[in-house]
Amino acid sequence: MEQMVSNVQKKTFLRWILDRRLLTNREIIWLLHYLMSNDQLLSLIHIVDDVTRVNRSITIGNSEKGIQFFRYVKTTVETDDPEKAFHDLRMNQMEEVYLQLSIEAVYRSPIFYSVLEENPNSHEDIHEKYGQMAEHAAIEAERTFMINRLTHAINKALDEGDQQQFYALTRRLNTINKQTNG
């Protein structure tokens, strides 16, 4: 089952990684910025949990010793230089690219499961493998959306001096927070 992930979702995810400073290698950070700025190329990027048996892939991660690594593979050619990968990505914007992020904080985050796609050469179904995590991600995203919408409405009620609306919205926000924490 193939999942379609929009460029907006991918940009949001990559921005999330960069904002949390999960990567420290300048060239890798620069490459991710480039991917976010190029919609044509970003549409070819598929975030997967395993890049086995794909023709073109990027693997970014942290080793057990905390050292960041980068690997770009195109058919049988492999490099650990993000700049070489950049040049190939810039010149070839027709072939799919599969991105694997081997960073523990990424796997613990609900946002990862919202952009995760299946490796077309894998027999494992990501929905079976990560179904519960994906469901949690969807619930968390909905809760965050509701809290943001209520917070905005509360601020608007305050700005307009609407005390009755303020109290009603605040009660709803408190109910959501109690359900989450309780």
Side-chain angles (χ1 to χ4, degrees):
M1 183 175 180
E2 192 172 320
Q3 176 185 1
M4 294 298 295
V5 178
S6 73
N7 279 0
V8 171
Q9 290 172 294
K10 293 174 193 176
K11 285 179 186 179
T12 301
F13 174 65
L14 295 175
R15 171 65 45 214
W16 178 87
I17 290 171
L18 295 171
D19 287 348
R20 277 152 190 74
R21 302 187 195 289
L22 298 177
L23 301 171
T24 55
N25 180 296
R26 250 187 324 199
E27 287 82 15
I28 296 172
I29 292 168
W30 181 75
L31 180 64
L32 292 183
H33 278 285
Y34 174 70
L35 293 176
M36 290 188 314
S37 71
N38 186 324
D39 283 337
Q40 167 64 29
L41 183 56
L42 192 59
S43 68
L44 298 173
I45 300 292
H46 302 282
I47 299 163
V48 295
D49 67 339
D50 181 21
V51 293
T52 306
R53 297 186 311 271
V54 295
N55 290 333
R56 198 166 163 206
S57 67
I58 298 172
T59 305
I60 301 170
N62 294 323
S63 69
E64 292 82 34
K65 297 178 184 177
I67 300 168
Q68 286 190 345
F69 63 86
F70 176 90
R71 187 173 74 212
Y72 178 74
V73 177
K74 183 176 177 184
T75 314
T76 58
V77 178
E78 187 175 322
T79 183
D80 62 357
D81 185 355
E83 197 168 328
K84 288 180 182 175
F86 162 75
H87 288 294
D88 185 66
L89 290 166
R90 189 173 58 87
M91 298 305 286
N92 179 359
Q93 296 192 16
M94 301 301 269
E95 188 180 349
E96 307 288 322
V97 181
Y98 295 87
L99 172 63
Q100 177 182 344
L101 294 153
S102 298
I103 303 169
E104 187 177 332
V106 169
Y107 284 94
R108 287 181 294 173
S109 172
I111 194 170
F112 169 68
Y113 299 99
S114 68
V115 296
L116 185 64
E117 296 182 68
E118 289 181 8
N119 176 332
N121 299 319
S122 176
H123 61 278
E124 278 190 294
D125 185 320
I126 61 167
H127 299 290
E128 289 176 16
K129 189 173 181 182
Y130 297 113
Q132 189 174 10
M133 294 288 232
E135 187 176 323
H136 173 70
I139 291 168
E140 184 63 25
E142 183 179 356
R143 188 185 74 75
T144 300
F145 174 77
M146 289 293 294
I147 288 172
N148 288 340
R149 195 175 81 188
L150 282 170
T151 302
H152 178 73
I154 288 169
N155 288 337
K156 184 178 178 190
L158 280 172
D159 290 343
E160 295 173 354
D162 188 344
Q163 193 175 27
Q164 185 177 356
Q165 182 74 353
F166 169 78
Y167 285 123
L169 293 169
T170 303
R171 278 192 295 276
R172 284 179 37 198
L173 180 60
N174 286 339
T175 301
I176 290 171
N177 286 331
K178 283 179 186 174
Q179 290 171 347
T180 303
N181 298 330

PDB file of all heavy atoms in Angstrom, residues 4 21 87:
ATOM      1  N   MET A   4       0.977   8.557  -0.088  1.00  0.00           N
ATOM      2  CA  MET A   4       1.432   9.781  -0.728  1.00  0.00           C
ATOM      3  C   MET A   4       1.653  10.833   0.355  1.00  0.00           C
ATOM      4  O   MET A   4       0.745  11.138   1.129  1.00  0.00           O
ATOM      5  CB  MET A   4       0.392  10.283  -1.735  1.00  0.00           C
ATOM      6  CG  MET A   4       0.215   9.356  -2.925  1.00  0.00           C
ATOM      7  SD  MET A   4       1.703   9.149  -3.917  1.00  0.00           S
ATOM      8  CE  MET A   4       1.927  10.776  -4.550  1.00  0.00           C
ATOM      9  N   ARG A  21      18.021  20.526  16.156  1.00  0.00           N
ATOM     10  CA  ARG A  21      19.481  20.368  16.064  1.00  0.00           C
ATOM     11  C   ARG A  21      19.903  18.903  16.242  1.00  0.00           C
ATOM     12  O   ARG A  21      20.860  18.592  16.953  1.00  0.00           O
ATOM     13  CB  ARG A  21      20.199  21.267  17.052  1.00  0.00           C
ATOM     14  CG  ARG A  21      19.870  22.738  16.864  1.00  0.00           C
ATOM     15  CD  ARG A  21      20.725  23.609  17.743  1.00  0.00           C
ATOM     16  NE  ARG A  21      20.254  24.956  17.891  1.00  0.00           N
ATOM     17  CZ  ARG A  21      20.270  25.889  16.953  1.00  0.00           C
ATOM     18  NH1 ARG A  21      20.688  25.620  15.757  1.00  0.00           N
ATOM     19  NH2 ARG A  21      19.856  27.119  17.200  1.00  0.00           N
ATOM     20  N   HIS A  87      25.576  17.214  -5.771  1.00  0.00           N
ATOM     21  CA  HIS A  87      25.781  17.391  -7.215  1.00  0.00           C
ATOM     22  C   HIS A  87      24.993  16.363  -8.027  1.00  0.00           C
ATOM     23  O   HIS A  87      24.398  16.702  -9.044  1.00  0.00           O
ATOM     24  CB  HIS A  87      27.268  17.345  -7.560  1.00  0.00           C
ATOM     25  CG  HIS A  87      27.994  18.570  -7.111  1.00  0.00           C
ATOM     26  ND1 HIS A  87      27.748  19.813  -7.637  1.00  0.00           N
ATOM     27  CD2 HIS A  87      28.938  18.739  -6.162  1.00  0.00           C
ATOM     28  CE1 HIS A  87      28.516  20.712  -7.038  1.00  0.00           C
ATOM     29  NE2 HIS A  87      29.252  20.080  -6.130  1.00  0.00           N
TER      30      HIS A  87
END
